[in-house]
Amino acid sequence: MIDAIVLPLLKILVVLNAVLVGVTFMVLLERKVIAWAQARLGPMRVGPYGMLQPIADVLKLMVKEDITPAKADKWVFTAAPMIALIPALIVFAVVPFGPEVSIFGRRVTLAITDLNVGLLYVVSVTSIGVYGIILAGWASNSKFPLLASLRASAQLISYEVAVTMILVSMVVSAGTLSMAGIIDAQYQQGVWYAFAQPLAFVVFFIGGLAETNRAPFDMPEAEQELTGGFHTEYSGMRFALFFLAEYANMIVVSCVATTLFLGGWLQPFPNVSALSFLGFVPGWMWFLGKTFVFLYVFLWIRATLPRYRYDQLMRIGWKVLIPLGIANVVVSAVLKVLL
Amino acid sequence: MAPESQPMFDTDEIVLNMGPQHPSTHGVLRVVLRLDGERVVGSDVVIGYLHRGIEKLCENRDWTQIVLLTDRMDYVAAATNNVGYCQTVEKLMSIEVPRRARYLRTIMCELQRIASHCLWLGTHAMDIGAMTVFLYAFRERELILDLFEEYCGARLTYNSMRIGGLPLDIPPGWDKKVLAFCDIMDTKLVEYEQLLTHNRIWLERTKGVGVISAEEAVAIGLSGPPLRGSGVKHDIRKDEPYAAYDEMQFEVPVGEAGDTYDRYLVRIEEFRQSVKIIRQAIEGLPEGPITGKVPRLIKPPAGETYHAIESPKGELGYFIAADGKSTAPYRFRVRPPSFCNLQALPRLIQGHLVADVVALIGSVDVVLGEVDR
């Protein structure tokens, strides 16, 4: 009873809240990091050093007037933000935050569930999210969002393929689709896949940037071109849902990258006994720390780079990343057989 | 019912109204785009949203009051406008301007060029998505605004010139501060260039985008950096020197390809040349009066004249006709560089993508206050 219902529910509650709070503070972090990069202070008024800014942001978005444009398709317009957000949240079901720990004498895995097709689940669920963007652009019945949603669909299709290729080669290397299994495989083989397969790591990261619509691939929302893109017509809480979805997706990509390439909850060089003193840091902290590194790089890139153009993005996707991805699958498969 | 000859699926161009309320049209420019997918097949530039009738207003103000109206045209380089107007009237009345005043005008024009280019660089980079450059450039522009605030009390519309010279001498220590600013600018330029010049994305976004040949540029009547970016070495500061430019050593940078990247490089080099000019002018700043012999009542003799200066955006010309009787110009006409350069926009964006449209609006560097007047 406890194992079947209470524990999973508790985990869902904890993870969901952690993610949502994490997202709001992610927004603060983004504003702060970019402000530091740009020689300014960022939010400073709400709380010490603006630490309470996320609360003010959320309150503001909740009390804002929620406008539905007269010519919008009301049902789709309402559904689109949910379609964007829900997949971003349910992906966390398979993210392994840490190894088994014992809480009050009970063995608990620090993941809501460990599906044996975990990676497949991640790929399929994250690709649903783009429907939210496409439908939002279409339902707004406005030209800028429409252009943005066309960009989004083209972008997602191109990068989905490259990223999936990389995931395939990870599965080949690890011999399992389970997220926890992949971390175990990295432990067994004694190397994080970021070092074993650096090319795959780079391609995955670029693909991840493109899939989450982050700079320099933030074309669907390119503020300077499409005035906000797909969420131009959105306001209030519905806009906030898109916002949440974007940041939740960033966290998802960072979590997946951590799992696949940086050994998840493993400490650095887990097989080297000289470094075993690092074991005092619990696994979930390693996991969150590594995820944070990725998130920070996301922000850092946004503060540094200009934006690619839509056709250039497609060119990189189809002519560079996908061939590299396929080559990576072939090479890792051949090596797997030979070694 | 559709005729049978028509295909089942019809493709149509969409008309996209960009502006006048759009983050990247630099004010109230409106561009009506006809798009095939995201490719621009036709465009219509609509201006006039900021028209205040400055030229007509000038014909009803006396000669000194007009200085203040010229501030409102290119408001990111207001002192340059003042200089252009005052020099035109001085030419009309054959007033000799003292050397110190000419030097100070040169310094202010060049400070304004840097300020204007800072604004251009920031917004141009922001349009292409590099948001950090925007704040860096504004940080340095702020220093120039501070210098002007110290000189004349205003930060944007300076009213900082008078017919025959300057209203005020520089405050004590101001020249040292300008020199200190020059040193800061030198180091900060490296920072901008590190972020952009060799950045692969920046190169891909600007190289080969909006190419305009030298012949076309001349035919359209471009001036300033867009003209020089196409390889035409034309700079009024060199060709018809005014103020103290004949005593300054500086280069006129030109591009080769005539694309957005070359226009960017030209302006970046102009930053350096402006700093160089300011240093020379401060070091050689002569002592003496700051205003020439100007009659108490300014009433130019009947006649007309055209005088142009090199504003940060190109050739800023004033045509003034005086009837010799009234204390206001009979006809007042401005040749604003932004307006003439904007003519090239439909030609530049033809066949490019929506993303390039904003890059090209930034690359032409228009100020709508000047386009509409």
Side-chain angles (χ1 to χ4, degrees), chain A residues 258-284:
Chain A
T258 306
T259 310
L260 294 185
F261 292 100
L262 293 188
W265 64 69
L266 300 177
Q267 66 195 60
F269 304 105
N271 309 332
V272 180
S273 53
L275 285 170
S276 59
F277 66 90
L278 289 171
F280 74 91
V281 182
W284 57 272

PDB file of all heavy atoms in Angstrom, chain A residues 258-284:
ATOM      1  N   THR A 258      22.759  15.612 -17.934  1.00  0.00           N
ATOM      2  CA  THR A 258      23.515  15.162 -16.762  1.00  0.00           C
ATOM      3  C   THR A 258      23.489  13.649 -16.667  1.00  0.00           C
ATOM      4  O   THR A 258      24.514  13.005 -16.433  1.00  0.00           O
ATOM      5  CB  THR A 258      22.901  15.777 -15.493  1.00  0.00           C
ATOM      6  OG1 THR A 258      22.850  17.176 -15.669  1.00  0.00           O
ATOM      7  CG2 THR A 258      23.716  15.446 -14.275  1.00  0.00           C
ATOM      8  N   THR A 259      22.295  13.086 -16.867  1.00  0.00           N
ATOM      9  CA  THR A 259      22.160  11.640 -16.761  1.00  0.00           C
ATOM     10  C   THR A 259      22.994  10.929 -17.817  1.00  0.00           C
ATOM     11  O   THR A 259      23.713   9.976 -17.529  1.00  0.00           O
ATOM     12  CB  THR A 259      20.682  11.251 -16.941  1.00  0.00           C
ATOM     13  OG1 THR A 259      19.906  12.063 -16.084  1.00  0.00           O
ATOM     14  CG2 THR A 259      20.458   9.806 -16.639  1.00  0.00           C
ATOM     15  N   LEU A 260      22.879  11.413 -19.049  1.00  0.00           N
ATOM     16  CA  LEU A 260      23.516  10.691 -20.142  1.00  0.00           C
ATOM     17  C   LEU A 260      25.015  10.922 -20.186  1.00  0.00           C
ATOM     18  O   LEU A 260      25.769  10.032 -20.540  1.00  0.00           O
ATOM     19  CB  LEU A 260      22.911  11.122 -21.478  1.00  0.00           C
ATOM     20  CG  LEU A 260      21.454  10.774 -21.715  1.00  0.00           C
ATOM     21  CD1 LEU A 260      21.057  11.169 -23.109  1.00  0.00           C
ATOM     22  CD2 LEU A 260      21.220   9.295 -21.504  1.00  0.00           C
ATOM     23  N   PHE A 261      25.447  12.136 -19.888  1.00  0.00           N
ATOM     24  CA  PHE A 261      26.833  12.466 -20.204  1.00  0.00           C
ATOM     25  C   PHE A 261      27.701  12.726 -18.982  1.00  0.00           C
ATOM     26  O   PHE A 261      28.906  12.568 -19.060  1.00  0.00           O
ATOM     27  CB  PHE A 261      26.880  13.686 -21.119  1.00  0.00           C
ATOM     28  CG  PHE A 261      26.322  13.401 -22.473  1.00  0.00           C
ATOM     29  CD1 PHE A 261      25.040  13.787 -22.805  1.00  0.00           C
ATOM     30  CD2 PHE A 261      27.084  12.721 -23.410  1.00  0.00           C
ATOM     31  CE1 PHE A 261      24.530  13.502 -24.051  1.00  0.00           C
ATOM     32  CE2 PHE A 261      26.578  12.445 -24.653  1.00  0.00           C
ATOM     33  CZ  PHE A 261      25.297  12.832 -24.976  1.00  0.00           C
ATOM     34  N   LEU A 262      27.103  13.180 -17.901  1.00  0.00           N
ATOM     35  CA  LEU A 262      27.937  13.519 -16.751  1.00  0.00           C
ATOM     36  C   LEU A 262      27.739  12.554 -15.587  1.00  0.00           C
ATOM     37  O   LEU A 262      27.974  12.883 -14.434  1.00  0.00           O
ATOM     38  CB  LEU A 262      27.676  14.959 -16.295  1.00  0.00           C
ATOM     39  CG  LEU A 262      28.103  16.047 -17.277  1.00  0.00           C
ATOM     40  CD1 LEU A 262      27.964  17.411 -16.638  1.00  0.00           C
ATOM     41  CD2 LEU A 262      29.529  15.856 -17.746  1.00  0.00           C
ATOM     42  N   GLY A 263      27.285  11.386 -15.904  1.00  0.00           N
ATOM     43  CA  GLY A 263      27.224  10.365 -14.867  1.00  0.00           C
ATOM     44  C   GLY A 263      26.167  10.569 -13.805  1.00  0.00           C
ATOM     45  O   GLY A 263      26.273   9.998 -12.733  1.00  0.00           O
ATOM     46  N   GLY A 264      25.164  11.384 -14.090  1.00  0.00           N
ATOM     47  CA  GLY A 264      24.046  11.529 -13.159  1.00  0.00           C
ATOM     48  C   GLY A 264      24.484  11.829 -11.747  1.00  0.00           C
ATOM     49  O   GLY A 264      25.150  12.820 -11.495  1.00  0.00           O
ATOM     50  N   TRP A 265      24.122  10.940 -10.837  1.00  0.00           N
ATOM     51  CA  TRP A 265      24.399  11.203  -9.419  1.00  0.00           C
ATOM     52  C   TRP A 265      25.800  10.767  -9.007  1.00  0.00           C
ATOM     53  O   TRP A 265      26.164  10.876  -7.838  1.00  0.00           O
ATOM     54  CB  TRP A 265      23.357  10.488  -8.561  1.00  0.00           C
ATOM     55  CG  TRP A 265      23.402   8.996  -8.674  1.00  0.00           C
ATOM     56  CD1 TRP A 265      24.383   8.173  -8.219  1.00  0.00           C
ATOM     57  CD2 TRP A 265      22.449   8.135  -9.294  1.00  0.00           C
ATOM     58  NE1 TRP A 265      24.106   6.877  -8.518  1.00  0.00           N
ATOM     59  CE2 TRP A 265      22.915   6.814  -9.164  1.00  0.00           C
ATOM     60  CE3 TRP A 265      21.219   8.357  -9.932  1.00  0.00           C
ATOM     61  CZ2 TRP A 265      22.220   5.716  -9.668  1.00  0.00           C
ATOM     62  CZ3 TRP A 265      20.526   7.273 -10.421  1.00  0.00           C
ATOM     63  CH2 TRP A 265      21.023   5.971 -10.298  1.00  0.00           C
ATOM     64  N   LEU A 266      26.575  10.223  -9.956  1.00  0.00           N
ATOM     65  CA  LEU A 266      27.898   9.719  -9.579  1.00  0.00           C
ATOM     66  C   LEU A 266      28.807  10.879  -9.198  1.00  0.00           C
ATOM     67  O   LEU A 266      28.742  11.957  -9.779  1.00  0.00           O
ATOM     68  CB  LEU A 266      28.534   8.959 -10.751  1.00  0.00           C
ATOM     69  CG  LEU A 266      27.771   7.751 -11.265  1.00  0.00           C
ATOM     70  CD1 LEU A 266      28.503   7.169 -12.456  1.00  0.00           C
ATOM     71  CD2 LEU A 266      27.628   6.714 -10.170  1.00  0.00           C
ATOM     72  N   GLN A 267      29.693  10.624  -8.229  1.00  0.00           N
ATOM     73  CA  GLN A 267      30.693  11.639  -7.916  1.00  0.00           C
ATOM     74  C   GLN A 267      31.788  11.564  -8.982  1.00  0.00           C
ATOM     75  O   GLN A 267      31.873  10.576  -9.711  1.00  0.00           O
ATOM     76  CB  GLN A 267      31.276  11.379  -6.532  1.00  0.00           C
ATOM     77  CG  GLN A 267      32.067  10.092  -6.480  1.00  0.00           C
ATOM     78  CD  GLN A 267      32.308   9.674  -5.063  1.00  0.00           C
ATOM     79  OE1 GLN A 267      31.368   9.437  -4.315  1.00  0.00           O
ATOM     80  NE2 GLN A 267      33.557   9.579  -4.695  1.00  0.00           N
ATOM     81  N   PRO A 268      32.624  12.576  -9.085  1.00  0.00           N
ATOM     82  CA  PRO A 268      33.689  12.509 -10.096  1.00  0.00           C
ATOM     83  C   PRO A 268      34.612  11.327  -9.804  1.00  0.00           C
ATOM     84  O   PRO A 268      34.990  11.099  -8.658  1.00  0.00           O
ATOM     85  CB  PRO A 268      34.425  13.840  -9.934  1.00  0.00           C
ATOM     86  CG  PRO A 268      33.465  14.731  -9.236  1.00  0.00           C
ATOM     87  CD  PRO A 268      32.609  13.856  -8.399  1.00  0.00           C
ATOM     88  N   PHE A 269      34.964  10.581 -10.828  1.00  0.00           N
ATOM     89  CA  PHE A 269      35.851   9.418 -10.756  1.00  0.00           C
ATOM     90  C   PHE A 269      35.434   8.473  -9.632  1.00  0.00           C
ATOM     91  O   PHE A 269      36.162   8.273  -8.658  1.00  0.00           O
ATOM     92  CB  PHE A 269      37.303   9.852 -10.554  1.00  0.00           C
ATOM     93  CG  PHE A 269      37.765  10.790 -11.628  1.00  0.00           C
ATOM     94  CD1 PHE A 269      37.902  12.145 -11.369  1.00  0.00           C
ATOM     95  CD2 PHE A 269      38.032  10.323 -12.906  1.00  0.00           C
ATOM     96  CE1 PHE A 269      38.308  13.012 -12.363  1.00  0.00           C
ATOM     97  CE2 PHE A 269      38.438  11.188 -13.902  1.00  0.00           C
ATOM     98  CZ  PHE A 269      38.585  12.535 -13.631  1.00  0.00           C
ATOM     99  N   PRO A 270      34.242   7.898  -9.735  1.00  0.00           N
ATOM    100  CA  PRO A 270      33.744   7.045  -8.643  1.00  0.00           C
ATOM    101  C   PRO A 270      34.611   5.805  -8.441  1.00  0.00           C
ATOM    102  O   PRO A 270      34.578   5.206  -7.373  1.00  0.00           O
ATOM    103  CB  PRO A 270      32.333   6.672  -9.097  1.00  0.00           C
ATOM    104  CG  PRO A 270      32.340   6.865 -10.570  1.00  0.00           C
ATOM    105  CD  PRO A 270      33.305   7.957 -10.860  1.00  0.00           C
ATOM    106  N   ASN A 271      35.410   5.431  -9.454  1.00  0.00           N
ATOM    107  CA  ASN A 271      36.196   4.198  -9.319  1.00  0.00           C
ATOM    108  C   ASN A 271      37.575   4.456  -8.736  1.00  0.00           C
ATOM    109  O   ASN A 271      38.307   3.529  -8.459  1.00  0.00           O
ATOM    110  CB  ASN A 271      36.344   3.520 -10.684  1.00  0.00           C
ATOM    111  CG  ASN A 271      34.995   3.363 -11.366  1.00  0.00           C
ATOM    112  OD1 ASN A 271      33.976   3.262 -10.682  1.00  0.00           O
ATOM    113  ND2 ASN A 271      34.982   3.375 -12.665  1.00  0.00           N
ATOM    114  N   VAL A 272      37.941   5.740  -8.616  1.00  0.00           N
ATOM    115  CA  VAL A 272      39.269   6.043  -8.072  1.00  0.00           C
ATOM    116  C   VAL A 272      39.158   6.141  -6.555  1.00  0.00           C
ATOM    117  O   VAL A 272      38.437   6.989  -6.032  1.00  0.00           O
ATOM    118  CB  VAL A 272      39.802   7.360  -8.667  1.00  0.00           C
ATOM    119  CG1 VAL A 272      41.184   7.675  -8.115  1.00  0.00           C
ATOM    120  CG2 VAL A 272      39.835   7.261 -10.181  1.00  0.00           C
ATOM    121  N   SER A 273      39.861   5.259  -5.872  1.00  0.00           N
ATOM    122  CA  SER A 273      39.680   5.214  -4.416  1.00  0.00           C
ATOM    123  C   SER A 273      40.240   6.462  -3.739  1.00  0.00           C
ATOM    124  O   SER A 273      39.786   6.860  -2.679  1.00  0.00           O
ATOM    125  CB  SER A 273      40.350   3.963  -3.840  1.00  0.00           C
ATOM    126  OG  SER A 273      41.697   3.922  -4.278  1.00  0.00           O
ATOM    127  N   ALA A 274      41.220   7.102  -4.376  1.00  0.00           N
ATOM    128  CA  ALA A 274      41.803   8.300  -3.772  1.00  0.00           C
ATOM    129  C   ALA A 274      40.773   9.413  -3.628  1.00  0.00           C
ATOM    130  O   ALA A 274      40.906  10.292  -2.779  1.00  0.00           O
ATOM    131  CB  ALA A 274      42.981   8.785  -4.614  1.00  0.00           C
ATOM    132  N   LEU A 275      39.748   9.377  -4.492  1.00  0.00           N
ATOM    133  CA  LEU A 275      38.746  10.441  -4.449  1.00  0.00           C
ATOM    134  C   LEU A 275      37.490  10.014  -3.708  1.00  0.00           C
ATOM    135  O   LEU A 275      36.479  10.700  -3.749  1.00  0.00           O
ATOM    136  CB  LEU A 275      38.381  10.872  -5.871  1.00  0.00           C
ATOM    137  CG  LEU A 275      39.439  11.728  -6.572  1.00  0.00           C
ATOM    138  CD1 LEU A 275      39.088  11.888  -8.034  1.00  0.00           C
ATOM    139  CD2 LEU A 275      39.549  13.089  -5.908  1.00  0.00           C
ATOM    140  N   SER A 276      37.581   8.874  -3.005  1.00  0.00           N
ATOM    141  CA  SER A 276      36.357   8.364  -2.392  1.00  0.00           C
ATOM    142  C   SER A 276      35.872   9.270  -1.262  1.00  0.00           C
ATOM    143  O   SER A 276      34.720   9.191  -0.863  1.00  0.00           O
ATOM    144  CB  SER A 276      36.595   6.953  -1.857  1.00  0.00           C
ATOM    145  OG  SER A 276      37.647   6.999  -0.913  1.00  0.00           O
ATOM    146  N   PHE A 277      36.762  10.168  -0.766  1.00  0.00           N
ATOM    147  CA  PHE A 277      36.309  11.065   0.307  1.00  0.00           C
ATOM    148  C   PHE A 277      35.177  11.971  -0.184  1.00  0.00           C
ATOM    149  O   PHE A 277      34.435  12.542   0.598  1.00  0.00           O
ATOM    150  CB  PHE A 277      37.473  11.913   0.815  1.00  0.00           C
ATOM    151  CG  PHE A 277      38.018  12.885  -0.189  1.00  0.00           C
ATOM    152  CD1 PHE A 277      37.498  14.173  -0.267  1.00  0.00           C
ATOM    153  CD2 PHE A 277      39.036  12.518  -1.067  1.00  0.00           C
ATOM    154  CE1 PHE A 277      37.992  15.075  -1.188  1.00  0.00           C
ATOM    155  CE2 PHE A 277      39.526  13.408  -1.992  1.00  0.00           C
ATOM    156  CZ  PHE A 277      39.009  14.692  -2.054  1.00  0.00           C
ATOM    157  N   LEU A 278      35.039  12.114  -1.539  1.00  0.00           N
ATOM    158  CA  LEU A 278      33.946  12.927  -2.074  1.00  0.00           C
ATOM    159  C   LEU A 278      32.588  12.290  -1.799  1.00  0.00           C
ATOM    160  O   LEU A 278      31.563  12.919  -1.987  1.00  0.00           O
ATOM    161  CB  LEU A 278      34.124  13.111  -3.583  1.00  0.00           C
ATOM    162  CG  LEU A 278      35.281  14.040  -3.984  1.00  0.00           C
ATOM    163  CD1 LEU A 278      35.501  13.979  -5.486  1.00  0.00           C
ATOM    164  CD2 LEU A 278      34.979  15.465  -3.561  1.00  0.00           C
ATOM    165  N   GLY A 279      32.630  11.040  -1.336  1.00  0.00           N
ATOM    166  CA  GLY A 279      31.377  10.333  -1.101  1.00  0.00           C
ATOM    167  C   GLY A 279      30.509  10.949  -0.023  1.00  0.00           C
ATOM    168  O   GLY A 279      29.335  10.614   0.091  1.00  0.00           O
ATOM    169  N   PHE A 280      31.075  11.877   0.761  1.00  0.00           N
ATOM    170  CA  PHE A 280      30.237  12.467   1.820  1.00  0.00           C
ATOM    171  C   PHE A 280      29.134  13.341   1.229  1.00  0.00           C
ATOM    172  O   PHE A 280      28.144  13.643   1.878  1.00  0.00           O
ATOM    173  CB  PHE A 280      31.088  13.274   2.804  1.00  0.00           C
ATOM    174  CG  PHE A 280      31.570  14.597   2.273  1.00  0.00           C
ATOM    175  CD1 PHE A 280      30.810  15.756   2.469  1.00  0.00           C
ATOM    176  CD2 PHE A 280      32.761  14.688   1.561  1.00  0.00           C
ATOM    177  CE1 PHE A 280      31.252  16.964   1.984  1.00  0.00           C
ATOM    178  CE2 PHE A 280      33.197  15.896   1.080  1.00  0.00           C
ATOM    179  CZ  PHE A 280      32.442  17.045   1.289  1.00  0.00           C
ATOM    180  N   VAL A 281      29.328  13.793  -0.037  1.00  0.00           N
ATOM    181  CA  VAL A 281      28.268  14.567  -0.685  1.00  0.00           C
ATOM    182  C   VAL A 281      27.248  13.586  -1.236  1.00  0.00           C
ATOM    183  O   VAL A 281      27.607  12.687  -1.991  1.00  0.00           O
ATOM    184  CB  VAL A 281      28.843  15.419  -1.826  1.00  0.00           C
ATOM    185  CG1 VAL A 281      27.749  16.248  -2.461  1.00  0.00           C
ATOM    186  CG2 VAL A 281      29.962  16.297  -1.315  1.00  0.00           C
ATOM    187  N   PRO A 282      25.988  13.719  -0.859  1.00  0.00           N
ATOM    188  CA  PRO A 282      25.000  12.756  -1.344  1.00  0.00           C
ATOM    189  C   PRO A 282      24.818  12.846  -2.864  1.00  0.00           C
ATOM    190  O   PRO A 282      25.060  13.886  -3.474  1.00  0.00           O
ATOM    191  CB  PRO A 282      23.715  13.157  -0.614  1.00  0.00           C
ATOM    192  CG  PRO A 282      23.953  14.523  -0.099  1.00  0.00           C
ATOM    193  CD  PRO A 282      25.424  14.693   0.067  1.00  0.00           C
ATOM    194  N   GLY A 283      24.381  11.730  -3.446  1.00  0.00           N
ATOM    195  CA  GLY A 283      24.260  11.640  -4.900  1.00  0.00           C
ATOM    196  C   GLY A 283      23.365  12.686  -5.507  1.00  0.00           C
ATOM    197  O   GLY A 283      23.678  13.268  -6.550  1.00  0.00           O
ATOM    198  N   TRP A 284      22.230  12.955  -4.839  1.00  0.00           N
ATOM    199  CA  TRP A 284      21.299  13.904  -5.444  1.00  0.00           C
ATOM    200  C   TRP A 284      21.907  15.287  -5.528  1.00  0.00           C
ATOM    201  O   TRP A 284      21.569  16.090  -6.400  1.00  0.00           O
ATOM    202  CB  TRP A 284      19.956  13.913  -4.709  1.00  0.00           C
ATOM    203  CG  TRP A 284      20.048  14.225  -3.238  1.00  0.00           C
ATOM    204  CD1 TRP A 284      20.244  13.335  -2.233  1.00  0.00           C
ATOM    205  CD2 TRP A 284      19.951  15.515  -2.629  1.00  0.00           C
ATOM    206  NE1 TRP A 284      20.278  13.974  -1.028  1.00  0.00           N
ATOM    207  CE2 TRP A 284      20.096  15.316  -1.231  1.00  0.00           C
ATOM    208  CE3 TRP A 284      19.741  16.797  -3.103  1.00  0.00           C
ATOM    209  CZ2 TRP A 284      20.048  16.365  -0.326  1.00  0.00           C
ATOM    210  CZ3 TRP A 284      19.696  17.843  -2.204  1.00  0.00           C
ATOM    211  CH2 TRP A 284      19.857  17.626  -0.833  1.00  0.00           C
TER     212      TRP A 284
END
